[in-house]
Amino acid sequence: MPKKFFAQKLETYGSTQKSGKVNQRFIPKLKEDHYFIVNIPLDGDAPKQYIKAYFYFKNCPRKSKPNSWPGYFAKSGGKSYPHESVIEYTINKIGEYLGLNMNETKLVMANGQIRFLSKDFIDQSKKQRLIHGIDILAEYFEDKDFVHHINKDRKNRRKYFTFQEVEQAIIHVYPSEANELIINLVKLLTFDAIVGNNDRHFYNWGVIGNYIVREGEAVKFAPIYDSARALMWNFTEEKIDYVYTHFLSGDQFLDQYIL
């Protein structure tokens, strides 16, 4: 691949909040000729870009064939840089330790900033797609506009899109795989409770398949991804010290944070 493909570097982002010091010496550097940017539009609050990157491992794609390198979503910490990236990586490692099906992630230094890399787990060669929870609800209610309207309002979302309703939606859309899908959804929600994730919405969980069908096409629950908003991700070290001190004196903030 011509060198011009490696000329574009990951963007650097300013931060309005210093979330704490991170010892960058222990974070591996992603060399400039080991990644290239694929310019595609991406959703979400955190600043991110899509890259293809080379990492050495057994039976890895050849370095001389960059187009075969795996894709990653390279996220910066936004206003909570740098520790939002570090915390999301830590959360992922906690999930792995608990034996959950977590998405493959890495923490690297690239273009002078810490980046959280989340691997693209969709295999385009198999014509797979990520079917979000919101898509499953839209198929269940047979009214995409209604589902998206309800989802915009937090109060209505909690009223109508309960766990029981989501469970029925999964059974309706994927009757053959429903039991396994629901078990994995419960594992996801339990993990969120353990780490205090307060941002698990209907766009950051789903199933992998070719398309939505009621019969015939096999699907599987997607690896757990996008778990950044947990473990007090947006707290400064000073505020964490304050919360911990008050916790020792009987304050209920931590209990409320988790619940």
Side-chain angles (χ1 to χ4, degrees):
M1 180 175 286
K3 290 185 178 180
K4 66 178 181 180
F5 284 95
F6 300 100
Q8 185 180 3
K9 303 306 172 190
L10 283 166
E11 295 178 6
T12 56
Y13 301 94
S15 174
T16 58
Q17 174 178 316
K18 292 183 178 179
S19 58
K21 295 181 180 180
V22 175
N23 193 337
Q24 299 179 1
R25 292 183 303 162
F26 295 97
I27 301 176
K29 291 184 179 181
L30 181 59
K31 296 179 180 180
E32 292 185 353
D33 61 349
H34 281 195
Y35 77 90
F36 64 94
I37 295 171
V38 181
N39 290 308
I40 58 175
L42 298 173
D43 297 326
D45 296 331
K48 65 175 73 70
Q49 292 174 275
Y50 190 87
I51 67 172
K52 288 201 166 188
Y54 173 78
F55 296 97
Y56 177 78
F57 55 88
K58 187 177 181 180
N59 298 322
C60 66
R62 298 184 64 175
K63 184 181 177 183
S64 59
K65 296 183 177 181
N67 282 325
S68 68
W69 296 352
Y72 293 88
F73 298 94
K75 299 169 65 175
S76 177
K79 65 181 182 180
S80 294
Y81 179 86
H83 92 295
E84 182 176 340
S85 297
V86 177
I87 284 180
E88 185 165 7
Y89 182 72
T90 302
I91 291 169
N92 222 70
K93 288 300 178 184
I94 292 173
E96 290 177 5
Y97 180 80
L98 293 174
L100 299 174
N101 181 27
M102 308 298 294
N103 189 33
E104 181 181 326
T105 62
K106 297 181 183 295
L107 193 68
V108 301
M109 291 292 302
N111 199 19
Q113 286 194 331
I114 298 172
R115 315 284 177 159
F116 173 79
L117 304 186
S118 180
K119 189 175 182 181
D120 184 358
F121 49 75
I122 298 299
D123 188 342
Q124 300 292 346
S125 67
K126 296 180 180 179
K127 297 182 179 181
Q128 290 181 341
R129 60 165 290 201
L130 175 61
I131 302 164
H132 295 99
I134 198 75
D135 300 320
I136 298 173
L137 286 169
E139 178 75 4
Y140 173 58
F141 285 100
E142 298 183 354
D143 190 336
K144 184 177 181 180
D145 292 337
F146 165 76
V147 168
H148 284 274
H149 175 72
I150 294 296
N151 190 55
K152 290 179 181 179
D153 184 86
R154 183 176 182 180
K155 184 177 180 181
N156 283 333
R157 186 168 64 240
R158 290 187 170 187
K159 180 179 179 180
Y160 295 107
F161 296 163
T162 62
F163 174 82
Q164 290 78 12
E165 202 67 39
V166 173
E167 181 182 30
Q168 289 304 309
I170 293 173
I171 293 171
H172 175 76
V173 178
Y174 301 114
S176 299
E177 297 90 355
N179 187 58
E180 187 67 22
L181 295 177
I182 292 168
I183 287 174
N184 279 283
L185 178 60
V186 171
K187 288 181 179 180
L188 166 66
L189 297 176
T190 303
F191 174 64
D192 284 344
I194 291 172
V195 298
N197 186 0
N198 54 18
D199 191 42
R200 184 66 65 191
H201 49 75
F202 292 103
Y203 286 96
N204 60 13
W205 68 269
V207 303
I208 299 173
N210 290 343
Y211 41 77
I212 291 183
V213 289
R214 290 191 175 92
E215 292 289 348
E217 190 66 38
V219 296
K220 62 180 180 180
F221 201 80
I224 297 174
Y225 66 96
D226 204 1
S227 303
R229 305 290 171 88
L231 295 183
M232 301 182 180
W233 62 278
N234 58 345
F235 285 21
T236 62
E237 292 181 357
E238 291 77 13
K239 187 170 182 178
I240 290 175
D241 286 339
Y242 174 85
V243 169
Y244 180 64
T245 300
H246 283 70
F247 169 74
L248 294 178
S249 63
D251 188 90
Q252 300 298 308
F253 174 82
L254 278 180
D255 293 330
Q256 296 171 359
Y257 179 87
I258 295 172
L259 297 175

